[in-house]
Amino acid sequence: MNSTAALSIALPGATGRTDVLDGGAIDGAALGALIGLALIVLAALGAIVLIVAALVQVAQAVHLSEQSRTRWVLTVVFAPVFGALAWFAVGNRLQVG
């Protein structure tokens, strides 16, 4: 056994290297926080994409009057996620007649 191996057995982490087995890895709480942060960032990006897509569709909708278009833009701006979902569920339907 060489001196480095003996030192690492006697003092874990003394060689400057960290290993999963000696406790140098990321712990569960930090990993959970990192995953939570990643999910929040992805949800925020998804919401931004949803809102921008709704605003673009409202601006390009030919079946809306100017007053209806203004109402939809205000709905999407002041109630972003709910307004965008409402536009995709109800507002972008063509009105026949």
Side-chain angles (χ1 to χ4, degrees):
M1 179 182 321
N2 61 24
S3 62
T4 306
L7 183 62
S8 67
I9 291 172
L11 300 169
T15 60
R17 294 184 347 203
T18 58
D19 192 12
V20 173
L21 298 177
D22 68 4
I26 189 167
D27 63 340
L31 182 62
L34 185 64
I35 291 172
L37 180 64
L39 289 175
I40 289 171
V41 168
L42 285 175
L45 287 174
I48 290 169
V49 168
L50 182 73
I51 293 163
V52 169
L55 287 173
V56 167
Q57 281 193 4
V58 168
Q60 293 177 349
V62 294
H63 67 281
L64 292 177
S65 66
E66 195 62 36
Q67 186 178 17
S68 295
R69 187 182 325 269
T70 303
R71 275 192 239 138
W72 274 113
V73 167
L74 291 175
T75 302
V76 172
V77 168
F78 288 118
V81 175
F82 175 75
L85 290 175
W87 166 256
F88 287 117
V90 178
N92 64 353
R93 305 287 187 253
L94 288 176
Q95 297 176 358
V96 179

